[in-house]
Structure formats: structure tokens, C-alpha cells
Amino acid sequence: RSASVAPTIELDAGLVELIARLSARDTRALDEIYGHTGDRLYALACKVAGDTRDAEEVVADVYQYAWEHSREFDGTRGSVVAWLSMLTWSRASDRRRRRKRECDVSTLHPDPASATYTACEDGATAADVDAFVDGHRVRAALNRLRADQRRLILMAFFEGASHGDIATRTGMPL
């Protein structure tokens, strides 16, 4: 077990150092962070967004955000990978909802310019507001967990790992 944990700890420490370099506007640090996390974030974005083009844009947005807001990273709240994964999941979910809404509108409204179809619509619904509030509650709850607990939840819910996969990856008993 300690052999599988040590590389993770070393990677986490290395990524924290890279975030510090990113804060100092070191472009090589961004390249290195991408090298360590790009595949993982792209896979997550593909899974959540359900579209490779959207996933590519999501990942680009996440690294742009990391470049612009690297000073906001707080290592006491979680790992760099968890931070980037939450950003990716959030943006990919938004893309998927937006794309679904665009598809739904086109099938429901054959003539979107017609006032008949749009007169009673106003952007946000109560369900949208509830989902937004719930998302903040989930993020706040995740931030209150220990890093190891948060990691297990992220693997299960955001990476789609089964209990068996998690046990194999972490060395923990099923």
C-alpha cells in the first residue's frame, strides 16, 4: 500500500509547487501541470459533457482559469487534482445542460422566432435555482471532508469508479 501512496503524495506535492510557480506566471509550470493532469481532466470532461468537442473546450477553460486564479488555490481544502477536477466537472456539467437545453428547444419549438413559443419563457426556473444552490452545498460539504474522504467521493461520483475500482486503486479493502 505504501508504494502506491508515495507516488500520489509526491505528485500532489509537485503539483502544489507547480501551482505556486503558476502564480508567478511561469508558463512552463502550466505545461507541466497539463502534462500531469490533462488526460485525467479530459476523460472526466468527456464523461460528464458527453461530447469530445465540449470536453476539449472545458479542459481549455479549466487551464485558463487555473492560470488566472492560481493564487486562489488552497491546499488545505484539497489537492490540486481535486481542485482541477471540480472545476472540470462543474464546467462540463454546465456545457451538457446548455447543450441539452439547446437540443430540447429545437425539438419543442419548430419556429423559435414565433412569439407563441417564447412569450411565456424566462431564462431561469425554480429548478435551475435549486440546482445552483444544491451545487454550492455539495461543494461546501466536500470541502469540509478530510482529503482522503473527499478523494474517495470524487473517484466514485465524478470519475464513475465502482467500489471495486476504488479498492483496487487505493489498496483499501472493499
Side-chain angles (χ1 to χ4, degrees):
R1 178 181 158 127
S2 62
S4 66
V5 172
T8 302
I9 292 169
E10 290 171 13
L11 176 63
D12 287 345
L15 290 175
V16 169
E17 183 180 313
L18 289 172
I19 289 291
R21 286 176 44 204
L22 206 61
S23 295
R25 295 297 177 242
D26 180 349
T27 56
R28 287 182 184 237
L30 183 62
D31 185 48
E32 290 179 47
I33 290 172
Y34 180 82
H36 290 295
T37 61
D39 291 342
R40 179 180 297 179
L41 298 184
Y42 178 72
L44 175 61
C46 281
K47 185 172 189 163
V48 175
D51 181 83
T52 56
R53 287 172 292 164
D54 282 345
E56 290 169 1
E57 289 184 33
V58 163
V59 171
D61 289 348
V62 166
Y63 287 109
Q64 177 71 33
Y65 182 90
W67 174 259
E68 294 172 354
H69 297 87
S70 56
R71 288 183 175 94
E72 295 174 13
F73 172 73
D74 180 1
T76 64
R77 296 176 69 190
S79 70
V80 173
V81 172
W83 181 58
L84 294 173
S85 295
M86 286 297 293
L87 293 170
T88 302
W89 182 85
S90 176
R91 282 163 173 71
S93 296
D94 290 344
R95 291 250 180 192
R96 184 179 189 109
R97 278 192 296 271
R98 196 174 320 124
R99 190 176 68 257
K100 182 178 179 189
R101 196 167 43 238
E102 289 168 2
C103 291
D104 290 347
V105 168
S106 66
T107 58
L108 292 174
H109 303 301
D111 180 12
S114 171
T116 306
Y117 293 108
T118 59
C120 64
E121 298 177 355
D122 74 343
T125 65
D128 292 335
V129 173
D130 288 343
F132 179 77
V133 170
D134 288 345
H136 282 287
R137 288 182 182 146
V138 168
R139 282 189 287 283
L142 282 171
N143 286 332
R144 285 191 298 271
L145 296 174
R146 291 188 329 255
D148 59 328
Q149 294 172 323
R150 185 174 36 253
R151 180 174 169 244
L152 296 174
I153 290 173
L154 290 173
M155 286 192 301
F157 289 95
F158 300 120
E159 296 177 22
S162 68
H163 289 182
D165 292 338
I166 292 171
T168 301
R169 288 169 55 185
T170 63
M172 296 174 70
L174 186 60

